[in-house]
């Protein structure tokens, strides 16, 4: 799998500089950037400021807020100099992404208050693509980024948006910048970084559509797996996630999670929801572990963490799971996690944990 990373940041910035370089002799302070309230000069500064802020947060391992500084240009900086600043801040973000471990997360407010290196790269690419579009529109310049960049931004940051046949037009629509046949106009939007739920020894790391696609096709999804992983159940679950994404009904917080061991960064299994809560507030979950990871209590630990997270929500009142009749180890995991056997539903025993 080609993870969203430094190369994509570099490509997005190069496209920005190439497009806007044709208008460096214009007065950017007098031209409004597309549908924004900012002029093109303000928008370009904003792009550079975001790129360096993302690099700083990731490099500085920011926890609760942005690193407290702001980009300021020297007096008299012309448009060529401003584009050089965008190139430089883009290079800083690209280098930071390339040299940061996949496990590292740092502060970003949307929507779960953290992002990993791929998330910061995707946000940087999104800022560059969208605001280059805004500035090019204001300046009357042609601009269309590579479709693969737009597609990656959607698959990393917009898991709740049904992908369309043209990724760039879909991204513009999803951010309120254009129309899309058959879809209502977007008047408010946020992107979504993936959710991570901490457990005692594990992190439950939300799998994004781009990663699910790779898992379904036989790849590693961007994770480093323990020997024998990922197990078949995780690949199947990734396929269901991908189908929900392509159908426009995926809710990322009720998706699939890789179980990543915190001490060495290795993924040992998967866990996730079959769907969002039903009308009665019930969610069904499934899980698996690679054979080499079994017998260490990881499944029980992950199940407790996911169930606790779900039952703390207002829209979940019970968590439900079924097992094969002969799968005594899985039934024992559910019992240890506090679930109660409620029936022999379908082909196997059913277990439930209700909100207190």
């Amino acid at each position: 799998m080609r993870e969203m990373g430094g190369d994509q940041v570099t490509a997005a910035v190069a496209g920005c500089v190439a497009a806007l370089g044709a208008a460096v002799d214009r007065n950017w302070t007098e031209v409004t950037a597309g549908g924004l309230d900012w002029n093109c000069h303000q928008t370009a500064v904003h792009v550079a400021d975001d790129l360096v802020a993302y690099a700083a947060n990731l490099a500085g391992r920011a926890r609760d807020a942005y690193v407290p500084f702001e980009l300021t240009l020297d007096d008299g900086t012309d448009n060529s100099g401003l584009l050089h600043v965008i190139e430089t801040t883009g290079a800083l973000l690209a280098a930071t992404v390339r040299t940061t471990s996949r496990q590292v997360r740092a502060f970003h407010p949307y929507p779960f208050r953290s992002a990993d290196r791929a998330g910061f790269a995707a946000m940087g690419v999104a800022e560059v693509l969208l605001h280059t579009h805004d500035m090019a529109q204001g300046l009357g310049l042609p601009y269309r980024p590579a479709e693969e960049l737009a597609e990656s931004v959607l698959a990393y940051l917009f898991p709740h948006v049904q992908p369309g046949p043209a990724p760039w037009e879909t991204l513009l629509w999803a951010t309120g910048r254009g129309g899309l046949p058959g879809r209502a106009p977007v008047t408010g939007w946020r992107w979504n970084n993936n959710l991570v739920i901490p457990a005692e020894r594990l992190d439950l790391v939300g799998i994004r559509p781009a990663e699910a696609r790779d898992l379904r096709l036989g790849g590693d999804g961007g994770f480093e797996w323990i020997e024998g992983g990922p197990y078949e159940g995780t690949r199947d679950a990734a396929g269901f996630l991908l189908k929900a994404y392509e159908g426009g009904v995926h809710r990322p917080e009720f998706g699939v999670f890789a179980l990543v061991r915190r001490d060495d960064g290795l993924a040992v299994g998967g866990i996730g929801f079959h769907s969002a809560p039903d009308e009665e507030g019930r969610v069904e979950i499934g899980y698996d572990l690679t054979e080499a990871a079994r017998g260490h209590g990881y499944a029980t630990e992950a199940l407790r963490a996911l169930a606790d997270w779900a039952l703390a929500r207002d829209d979940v009142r019970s968590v439900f799971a079924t097992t094969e009749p002969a799968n005594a180890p899985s039934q024992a995991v559910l019992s240890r996690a506090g679930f109660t056997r409620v029936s022999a539903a379908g082909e196997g025993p059913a277990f439930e944990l209700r909100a207190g």
Side-chain angles (χ1 to χ4, degrees):
M1 160 181 190
R2 189 182 184 192
E3 182 184 52
M4 174 69 86
D7 289 349
Q8 287 76 18
V9 174
T10 300
V13 169
C16 167
V17 172
L20 300 181
V24 291
D25 58 339
R26 300 271 299 277
N27 186 342
W28 290 6
T29 64
E30 294 181 349
V31 180
T32 301
L36 305 181
D37 293 330
W38 297 330
N39 61 47
C40 288
H41 178 87
Q42 291 170 317
T43 305
V45 173
H46 170 78
V47 170
D49 195 33
D50 275 347
L51 291 171
V52 74
Y54 292 161
N57 268 28
L58 188 57
R61 313 299 196 255
R63 286 288 168 261
D64 301 312
Y66 284 104
V67 177
F69 75 97
E70 187 174 357
L71 178 71
T72 302
L73 299 181
D74 288 345
D75 290 341
T77 301
D78 61 12
N79 293 333
S80 294
L82 181 49
L83 289 181
H84 190 199
V85 173
I86 290 176
E87 282 186 298
T88 303
T89 53
L92 289 172
L93 176 58
T96 304
V97 168
R98 292 186 181 111
T99 56
T100 299
S101 167
R102 192 188 199 283
Q103 283 183 274
V104 170
R105 298 187 74 85
F107 173 80
H108 189 276
Y110 306 135
F112 305 115
R113 298 187 66 79
S114 74
D116 61 6
R117 67 185 187 190
F120 277 105
M123 290 187 291
V125 170
E127 293 284 356
V128 173
L129 299 189
L130 294 169
H131 288 315
T132 302
H133 162 80
D134 298 333
M135 291 182 281
Q137 189 177 60
L139 293 164
L141 299 172
Y143 174 70
R144 186 181 184 91
E147 290 293 322
E148 63 184 26
L149 287 177
E151 183 178 25
S152 291
V153 168
L154 288 167
Y156 273 90
L157 295 181
F158 293 86
H160 53 295
V161 170
Q162 183 177 18
W168 178 231
E169 279 71 22
T170 303
L171 181 58
L172 292 177
W173 168 81
T175 57
R177 288 172 166 83
L180 208 59
R183 303 195 195 186
V186 172
T187 57
W189 61 275
R190 295 288 190 198
W191 54 48
N192 280 262
N193 280 293
N194 62 333
L195 172 65
V196 174
I197 300 172
E200 182 181 350
R201 295 167 296 168
L202 305 170
D203 284 323
L204 282 60
V205 181
I207 295 175
R208 292 167 279 216
E211 296 158 339
R213 182 181 294 114
D214 186 66
L215 283 167
R216 192 68 189 94
L217 293 174
D220 58 17
F223 297 92
E224 186 177 356
W225 291 85
I226 193 172
E227 182 183 355
Y231 202 63
E232 181 180 352
T234 300
R235 295 197 187 279
D236 290 342
F240 291 127
L241 185 160
L242 189 60
K243 183 178 293 186
Y245 170 64
E246 292 172 343
V249 296
H250 178 47
R251 285 184 59 182
E253 67 272 34
F254 289 104
V256 183
F257 301 79
L259 307 182
V260 179
R261 230 165 28 193
R262 201 173 294 123
D263 63 353
D264 60 7
L266 295 180
V268 299
I271 192 168
F273 299 96
H274 289 196
S275 65
D278 64 17
E279 293 180 355
E280 297 178 353
R282 188 176 79 163
V283 288
E284 185 173 356
I285 60 174
Y287 52 89
D288 68 12
L289 291 177
T290 60
E291 292 185 9
R294 295 172 188 172
H296 301 283
Y298 293 139
T300 303
E301 179 181 328
L303 190 55
R304 285 173 178 158
L306 189 62
D308 287 348
W309 176 87
L311 292 172
R313 296 174 57 95
D314 293 337
D315 55 351
V316 177
R317 291 191 288 276
S318 68
V319 181
F320 186 78
T322 60
T323 70
E324 296 292 333
N327 194 343
S330 184
Q331 295 166 30
V333 165
L334 287 159
S335 296
R336 287 195 297 270
F339 284 67
T340 300
R341 183 165 174 164
V342 292
S343 68
E347 298 182 356
F351 291 77
E352 187 177 38
L353 183 64
R354 299 190 65 85

